[in-house]
């Protein structure tokens, strides 16, 4: 997730220090202050890590389902043998926002890689609707 809450706060602090503080009486400073207030109002600071945890968990589950789908058929297992689907996973309950963000980013990379390979596989195996359904799910979970 970019920017992280810490990066957003750092940017707000710079604006307050560099723009608002020296120009408190000006219309520009008031305008910037309104923008800062709007940004602060739009972000759910308390739930940022929880939201990231939910995204990461959903992506991890989808990667596990994808591995199970691949392994369920010997032809698929051979075709996807070199596909890495093993994301890093920090110890549950001890992860920081940075660790969760890293897991989410890595899951996104893995989902993108397997989705590319799956799209090629689907074109050569159009008789398999499960592969197409899996690809659609993978694409919905990839980060923007």
């Amino acid at each position: 997730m970019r920017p992280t809450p810490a990066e957003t706060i750092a940017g707000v602090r710079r604006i307050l220090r560099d723009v608002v503080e020296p120009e408190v009486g000006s219309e520009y400073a008031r305008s910037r202050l309104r923008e800062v207030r709007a940004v602060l109002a739009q972000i759910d600071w308390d739930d940022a890590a929880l939201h990231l945890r939910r995204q990461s968990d959903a992506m991890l589950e989808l990667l596990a389902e994808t591995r199970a789908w691949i392994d369920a058929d010997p032809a698929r297992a051979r075709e996807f043998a070199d596909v890495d689907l093993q994301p890093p996973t920090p110890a549950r309950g001890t992860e920081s926002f940075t660790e969760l963000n890293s897991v989410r980013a890595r899951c996104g990379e893995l989902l993108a890689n397997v989705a590319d390979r799956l799209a090629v596989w689907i074109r050569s195996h159009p008789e398999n609707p499960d592969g197409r359904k899996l690809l659609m799910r993978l694409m919905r979970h990839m980060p923007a």
Side-chain angles (χ1 to χ4, degrees):
M1 187 163 97
R2 302 286 302 176
T4 65
E7 290 167 336
T8 301
I9 290 169
V12 167
R13 290 177 65 202
R14 278 192 297 279
I15 290 169
L16 289 172
R17 183 190 66 219
D18 298 339
V19 177
V20 177
E21 210 173 286
E23 299 289 334
V24 172
S26 76
E27 181 58 36
Y28 176 74
R30 285 190 298 274
S31 174
R32 295 299 296 185
L33 184 57
R34 283 185 218 114
E35 290 177 29
V36 168
R37 289 179 179 153
V39 168
L40 291 172
Q42 292 174 4
I43 296 172
D44 189 352
W45 299 100
D46 292 336
D47 287 340
L50 181 60
H51 178 71
L52 193 55
R53 160 54 70 200
R54 286 186 194 126
Q55 286 181 329
S56 298
D57 285 350
M59 293 168 93
L60 289 166
E61 183 178 316
L62 185 55
L63 287 167
E65 289 175 29
T66 301
R67 173 52 64 200
W69 178 83
I70 289 170
D71 291 345
D73 178 82
R76 289 192 302 251
R78 283 189 302 277
E79 180 71 26
F80 292 89
D82 63 331
V83 173
D84 179 13
L85 293 174
Q86 191 61 40
T89 52
R92 188 79 164 161
T94 60
E95 63 273 346
S96 66
F97 184 90
T98 301
E99 289 171 317
L100 286 171
N101 203 30
S102 175
V103 168
R104 181 185 172 275
R106 181 67 180 137
C107 286
E109 291 169 7
L110 295 172
L111 288 172
N113 290 339
V114 74
D116 285 343
R117 292 285 297 277
L118 184 54
V120 171
W121 188 86
I122 287 169
R123 284 192 290 277
S124 63
H125 298 84
E127 73 285 353
N128 189 310
D130 291 339
R132 189 174 318 283
K133 289 176 190 173
L134 179 59
L135 179 60
M136 300 320 295
R137 291 186 60 219
L138 289 170
M139 292 174 64
R140 282 193 301 270
H141 281 85
M142 287 191 291

